[in-house]
Amino acid sequence: MSEPEVFPVPLRTSVKTVDPAWIDYNGHLNMAYYNVFFDTALDEAAPLIGLGPAYVATGSSWFTAEAHVRYLREIHAGERVRVLVRLVDADAKRLHWWEELWSEDGGFLSATSETLTLHVDMTAKKVTPFPPAMAERIAAWRRADAAHPRPQGLGRSVGIRR
């Protein structure tokens, strides 16, 4: 019998440095580049369940269907950042991710992203169930994540609160 899968919760991605070219006219990180950090963090996380480049070469992939970013504190040029990733929910065809962008230099939470991704058959361009082995790894990560408190801000909608 093989060892059970161990998924770190949260997954801590590699540290990256904010490129000065990504700074907007307000003097902080342009909002588009927050999504670059969040997207590349999922590229680091997804191979843990088998959704890496080798899998995509087989004719299946995964697409982002929805994302919600909250900008909490400014990030500046040269700042070192890291994304913490959690897999907070899943079903047969979808993954619900929670990500936090942290300043490694200042030790503060800068932004969060909540993302829904879909498993896709690239030939049919249709959303399809995950293969059984991948579904087992997803379930293992979900079990690991379920043992932790719900992230603050998860499920928050956009709108003006009255």
Side-chain angles (χ1 to χ4, degrees):
M1 185 171 198
S2 64
E3 289 293 314
E5 217 43 66
V6 176
F7 292 95
V9 178
L11 171 70
R12 297 170 55 84
T13 65
S14 60
V15 174
K16 295 180 175 61
T17 302
V18 175
D19 188 313
W22 296 355
I23 302 304
D24 66 16
Y25 50 81
N26 293 312
H28 55 239
L29 185 63
N30 179 284
M31 64 184 284
Y33 293 101
Y34 283 86
N35 285 305
V36 169
F37 286 123
F38 290 130
D39 188 52
T40 57
L42 289 184
D43 286 343
E44 285 187 48
L48 293 176
I49 56 173
L51 281 174
Y55 179 72
V56 171
T58 69
S60 292
S61 190
W62 56 306
F63 292 178
T64 298
E66 184 176 344
H68 175 203
V69 178
R70 295 185 311 145
Y71 305 95
L72 306 173
R73 192 161 166 191
E74 296 178 345
I75 293 286
H76 299 95
E79 202 159 341
R80 295 174 318 118
V81 296
R82 174 190 314 266
V83 177
L84 306 185
V85 180
R86 292 181 58 183
L87 182 59
V88 294
D89 202 359
D91 67 15
K93 302 176 184 179
R94 300 174 296 184
L95 302 173
H96 182 177
W97 303 93
W98 174 262
E99 298 173 274
E100 298 177 349
L101 180 69
W102 284 84
S103 167
E104 286 289 294
D105 298 323
F108 60 84
L109 176 62
S110 172
T112 66
S113 179
E114 196 168 349
T115 306
L116 182 69
T117 60
L118 310 172
H119 183 256
V120 177
D121 176 323
M122 293 298 289
T123 304
K125 292 288 187 182
K126 183 178 177 186
V127 178
T128 59
F130 294 103
M134 191 176 292
E136 288 175 20
R137 294 180 75 127
I138 290 167
W141 194 342
R142 280 292 305 121
R143 283 190 299 275
D145 193 87
H148 296 267
R150 178 181 170 92
Q152 185 176 4
L154 181 69
R156 184 164 181 232
S157 64
V158 175
I160 299 172
R161 299 200 194 306
R162 304 246 188 246

